[in-house]
Amino acid sequence: MNVLENVPLAPLTTFKVGGPARYFAEPKSPSEVSEAVQFARSRNLPLFVLGGGSNLVISDAGWPGLVLKTSISGMDERNENGRVLFDVGAGEEWDRFVARAITRNCAGVECLSGIPGSVGGTPVQNVGAYGQEVAETIASVLTLDLRDGQIRELCAEACGFHYRTSIFNTSERGRFIILRVTYSLTPGGKPRIEYADLKKHFAGFQQTPSLTSTREAVRRIRARKAMLITPGDEDCRSAGSFFKNPVLAAKQYEELTSQAKAKGLQVPSYPALDSQRKVSAAWLVEYSGFSKGYRSGRVGISRKHALAIVNRGEATAADILALKDHIQQRVEQLWGIRLEPEPVFVGF
Ligand SMILES: Cc1cc2nc3c(=O)[nH]c(=O)nc-3n(C[C@H](O)[C@H](O)[C@H](O)COP(=O)(O)OP(=O)(O)OC[C@H]3O[C@@H](n4cnc5c(N)ncnc54)[C@H](O)[C@@H]3O)c2cc1C
């Protein structure tokens, strides 16, 4: 396995910002992953695991240690108890796996079509969209445990999946390198058409849409919002949604809605666990003065999605952080809610 030096990281991310990695390796097997870890340990270097770079803001100084880009490939399929299990290498492109699942007429990930990034990145923030999340189909995650160097298979419960979180980005952050993910899908299953945009798309259809037409619809809807990486569309130079939808306790939600009502506004929200409400972060951003197409020098808000901060060209990580801080402050001032960013900040 080759270890390179001073490798620019910006081209390996969707935001296209950030400095270089002091060292860079692309292990293609679990044993190469262990080798790369040994390289970092023997030189006392901090380690960062890179997937598809679609949920990152990398600092302008870059990463002072080793960046390990997981490049383990492979999609194996087996039948078990009426389910189809797919064992997929962490380095596979997520959307290529979704396409494969649909070709095999398996349901469970069709609404997650078009999400950029790697398979190994999906358990980290329990990737979700359009009424589906990977927590529903992940059967297990094969990992290298950096605590003791052992390979460990974690069952879904052990991964602690919740909205945009898992143990991998909370309690056990930095402990595991994901090598492979096993998804359990439903052969011949029906697509999930629950999300409003999808229902609208298929309104008037006589028959249940196929998995293929659901995938196509999701990709089309995503493209309209610049949530599908489309060459030449500068609104895609982002990390997707920049802020998580805040989950509010009943009392906090009441305060927000009465504040909004006093201004003649209605806050979009959805039920969440334990009588909580999930509130639209996009709405909060828009009603704090940052509408679609907002521009601040080299950064701004996507013209197609109020929740995506975009690099308008030649932006730095510092520019992105400055806009993030500005938005957080305004939303907090106006609505009393602190928005939490979704991307991972690396090397700050
Ligand atoms: C246009 C656009 C649209 C998006 N839409 C959605 C969406 O609809 N829903 C959604 O949930 N997300 C969305 N995202 C965010 C992003 O695509 C997902 O979070 C994706 O799963 C990140 O995977 P990645 O491989 O790119 O990870 P990276 O961005 O490379 O890394 C993200 C985090 O995961 C860790 N990581 C990555 N691979 C591994 C591994 N093998 N082992 C251990 N840790 C690892 C990294 O260390 C880092 O902490 C969108 C992003 C963009 C740019």
Side-chain angles (χ1 to χ4, degrees):
M1 188 201 42
N2 241 350
V3 177
L4 305 173
E5 291 190 53
N6 301 319
V7 172
L9 292 173
L12 303 178
T13 69
T14 50
F15 242 140
K16 308 291 178 213
V17 301
R22 177 70 189 88
Y23 295 98
F24 182 87
E26 250 187 294
K28 294 185 172 52
S29 64
S31 61
E32 284 192 358
V33 170
S34 299
E35 236 181 274
V37 170
Q38 278 317 314
F39 175 91
R41 289 237 163 110
S42 62
R43 286 163 181 79
N44 224 358
L45 298 169
L47 182 68
F48 177 72
V49 182
L50 175 69
S54 62
N55 209 23
L56 303 177
V57 183
I58 294 180
S59 80
D60 296 315
W63 182 252
L66 176 73
V67 168
L68 185 163
K69 179 166 163 56
T70 42
S71 296
I72 300 172
S73 60
M75 285 188 213
D76 298 320
E77 190 182 324
R78 59 203 154 94
N79 294 300
E80 221 175 87
N81 302 326
R83 310 280 300 167
V84 181
L85 299 186
F86 288 88
D87 300 312
V88 193
E92 289 286 355
E93 190 190 325
W94 166 254
D95 198 45
R96 213 173 78 82
F97 163 60
V98 176
R100 164 73 70 87
I102 286 168
T103 307
R104 307 291 298 132
N105 198 28
C106 288
V109 288
E110 62 283 353
C111 296
L112 306 176
S113 294
I115 296 179
S118 66
V119 161
T122 59
V124 177
Q125 70 154 3
N126 178 20
V127 158
Y130 300 87
Q132 238 168 21
E133 53 184 23
V134 290
E136 298 165 53
T137 45
I138 288 181
S140 62
V141 179
L142 189 75
T143 64
L144 174 69
D145 188 342
L146 294 174
R147 265 200 199 161
D148 56 9
Q150 296 296 306
I151 303 270
R152 290 221 150 77
E153 181 122 40
L154 307 180
C155 65
E157 291 83 76
C159 295
F161 292 125
H162 293 288
Y163 169 63
R164 294 300 173 271
T165 61
S166 69
I167 59 162
F168 306 113
N169 67 357
T170 56
S171 57
E172 305 294 346
R173 182 195 289 260
R175 175 172 165 189
F176 296 104
I177 299 182
I178 295 162
L179 305 172
R180 194 187 71 202
V181 185
T182 300
Y183 302 90
S184 168
L185 303 188
T186 314
K190 293 205 174 1
R192 172 148 335 149
I193 314 289
E194 282 175 8
Y195 195 78
D197 283 1
L198 270 180
K199 279 189 177 162
K200 198 165 134 198
H201 181 93
F202 288 116
F205 275 53
Q206 301 301 324
Q207 289 168 338
T208 308
S210 65
L211 292 171
T212 304
S213 52
T214 305
R215 171 174 167 77
E216 279 162 10
V218 168
R219 287 177 57 93
R220 212 167 303 146
I221 295 166
R222 293 187 71 94
R224 282 206 297 271
K225 298 179 179 177
M227 284 290 135
L228 185 77
I229 301 288
T230 309
D233 184 350
E234 67 170 62
D235 282 313
C236 296
R237 243 184 274 130
S238 76
S241 300
F242 202 93
F243 297 104
K244 296 181 191 180
N245 290 323
V247 178
L248 305 183
K251 188 166 177 290
Q252 214 186 352
Y253 174 67
E254 246 171 61
E255 280 166 14
L256 175 69
T257 46
S258 55
Q259 240 183 306
K261 213 168 163 190
K263 294 178 181 168
L265 301 169
Q266 205 183 351
V267 195
S269 71
Y270 324 87
L273 280 180
D274 304 328
S275 71
Q276 295 172 322
R277 297 289 294 188
K278 198 190 283 177
V279 174
S280 164
W283 187 93
L284 288 166
V285 170
E286 267 196 292
Y287 284 93
S288 300
F290 304 94
S291 42
K292 290 176 192 157
Y294 172 92
R295 216 183 158 114
S296 170
R298 297 174 290 196
V299 287
I301 303 282
S302 162
R303 285 164 293 200
K304 304 180 184 101
H305 197 304
L307 211 45
I309 292 184
V310 293
N311 170 0
R312 292 255 164 255
E314 309 299 319
T316 61
D319 293 329
I320 291 166
L321 247 66
L323 180 55
K324 166 198 101 65
D325 290 345
H326 188 35
I327 294 172
Q328 279 176 317
Q329 280 158 13
R330 283 296 289 159
V331 171
E332 200 165 8
Q333 260 172 10
L334 286 171
W335 303 104
I337 292 168
R338 182 82 183 159
L339 288 180
E340 201 188 318
E342 193 178 294
V344 177
F345 294 84
V346 183
F348 287 92

